[in-house]
Amino acid sequence: MGTGFRAGLTSVILSSFALSGCATHVPQLAEVWEKDDLHDNLVFRIKQSIFCELRQAVNAQKGQTATGPDRKPVEALPDNWGAQLTLVMQVDETGAINPGVSFLRDIPGGSFTLSTGLVASSQATRVDRYYSFFSVKSLKPELDQYDTSCGKSMPDGTFKPIDRHGASPLLSGDLGINGWLQGALVQMNGIPSSNFPKSQASKLDVLSYDVKFIVVTTGTVTPSWKLVRLTSATSPALVSANRTRTHELLLTLGPTEAVPATKTSKATVVPGAASSAVHLSGELQQAVANGIRSVVVAP
């Protein structure tokens, strides 16, 4: 093997490693053209946007009634229900380099070609998960000028909405929560579960809503050159990178259970057994689906 061939191969490998840095560091939630995580509280703004939409959806159902087990009108969305919210932000980054060269040499009666290549790849995954619980009663107050859930009133009398800039689809403010909740309550109250015992103070129905956005960005670099006896490969790509963002919201509404006060804590409410079971099953489904996707996107 000649000196020219070794020098050419070394040049290809070094330039490839210099170009490929994807998946060799902890992925950032924001895109490369946005501010980094330390200077832009992306998760806060996403959660604020979702909370605003949830408040608006719950407020839209106020005053709606249904027929209770004793045939008397009851609120369609009971005060003794709760809303569980799980937000999952996952980023999968993969990078690969595939340098290859062909060495050509004339020999008596024909020519000789020797092709060589190298494949190196890496993958990095980051998963941020956030859980919150709100009582339905706390979500029902009117969204007036003093409520800052969806923005705030300015001294000049104008209204400044919350900041929804950014590439995450969860920042749109139009995740369909209101339409889903309205339809879910119609079916729940139209075809209610069996009458619950007197010891059970709330409806046994549970409502769950899961919204997932998957955004995939892929890029490749494939330079080519041809010297007298040395030719670079044009396939596959010399450098390739893949970034997959999964932004998912799991929302569960259902009965709560009262926790009596003790000597060290005040009385409170927590998600009921049925609500907790449904929400946990949704979280497990999230974890399995996102785990499988992380394997699939590997180079």
Side-chain angles (χ1 to χ4, degrees):
M1 186 179 295
T3 303
F5 174 77
R6 289 195 297 269
L9 179 59
T10 302
S11 176
V12 170
I13 294 175
L14 291 178
S15 62
S16 301
F17 275 109
L19 288 171
S20 179
C22 188
T24 58
H25 60 276
V26 177
Q28 298 298 303
L29 296 180
E31 295 297 343
V32 294
W33 59 85
E34 298 178 310
K35 296 180 180 179
D36 58 45
D37 295 350
L38 294 178
H39 298 90
D40 178 30
N41 203 331
L42 175 65
V43 176
F44 169 78
R45 293 189 296 104
I46 289 175
K47 187 173 179 179
Q48 186 180 34
S49 178
I50 294 171
F51 182 70
C52 169
E53 192 171 346
L54 178 60
R55 287 288 310 277
Q56 292 172 330
V58 171
N59 268 254
Q61 300 307 314
K62 287 199 310 185
Q64 303 297 320
T65 59
T67 302
D70 55 0
R71 312 308 300 173
K72 293 182 179 180
V74 296
E75 281 197 277
L77 184 58
D79 280 354
N80 57 359
W81 268 31
Q84 298 177 80
L85 186 154
T86 296
L87 176 63
V88 177
M89 310 280 289
Q90 178 168 331
V91 181
D92 294 283
E93 289 187 352
T94 61
I97 58 173
N98 301 276
V101 293
S102 296
F103 179 71
L104 297 89
R105 169 169 291 183
D106 295 328
I107 60 175
S111 62
F112 170 76
T113 302
L114 175 64
S115 298
T116 184
L118 172 70
V119 177
S121 63
S122 60
Q123 178 176 9
T125 299
R126 170 178 173 175
V127 182
D128 292 17
R129 184 174 285 105
Y130 306 91
Y131 172 87
S132 300
F133 171 75
F134 310 99
S135 68
V136 166
K137 186 176 181 179
S138 71
L139 298 173
K140 285 186 173 181
E142 292 289 342
L143 291 166
D144 55 27
Q145 60 179 336
Y146 302 106
D147 193 305
T148 59
S149 299
C150 297
K152 60 182 179 180
S153 298
M154 305 304 291
D156 60 0
T158 60
F159 181 78
K160 182 180 180 181
I162 59 177
D163 185 2
R164 286 196 170 99
H165 85 274
S168 173
L170 293 179
L171 284 167
S172 67
D174 188 21
L175 299 179
I177 297 176
N178 184 41
W180 162 76
L181 183 58
Q182 182 179 355
L185 291 176
V186 168
Q187 65 80 27
M188 181 187 75
N189 293 306
I191 310 175
S193 299
S194 300
N195 291 344
F196 42 77
K198 293 182 178 179
S199 60
Q200 175 67 38
S202 180
K203 298 174 180 290
L204 289 176
D205 300 79
V206 178
L207 313 175
S208 185
Y209 187 57
D210 193 342
V211 179
K212 177 188 291 188
F213 296 96
I214 301 174
V215 181
V216 180
T217 306
T218 302
T220 60
V221 177
T222 312
S224 63
W225 62 89
K226 186 174 183 179
L227 306 178
V228 177
R229 294 183 178 181
L230 196 66
T231 303
S232 67
T234 58
S235 180
L238 176 63
V239 179
S240 61
N242 177 290
R243 176 177 164 88
T244 301
R245 290 182 297 136
T246 303
H247 290 187
E248 185 169 6
L249 165 67
L250 176 63
L251 177 63
T252 303
L253 276 76
T256 59
E257 295 178 359
V259 178
T262 65
K263 292 182 179 180
T264 58
S265 62
K266 297 181 179 180
T268 186
V269 294
V270 296
S275 302
S276 296
V278 171
H279 195 76
L280 177 60
S281 67
E283 290 180 323
L284 293 174
Q285 188 176 37
Q286 279 183 337
V288 172
N290 293 337
I292 293 175
R293 172 162 289 277
S294 294
V295 174
V296 171
V297 301

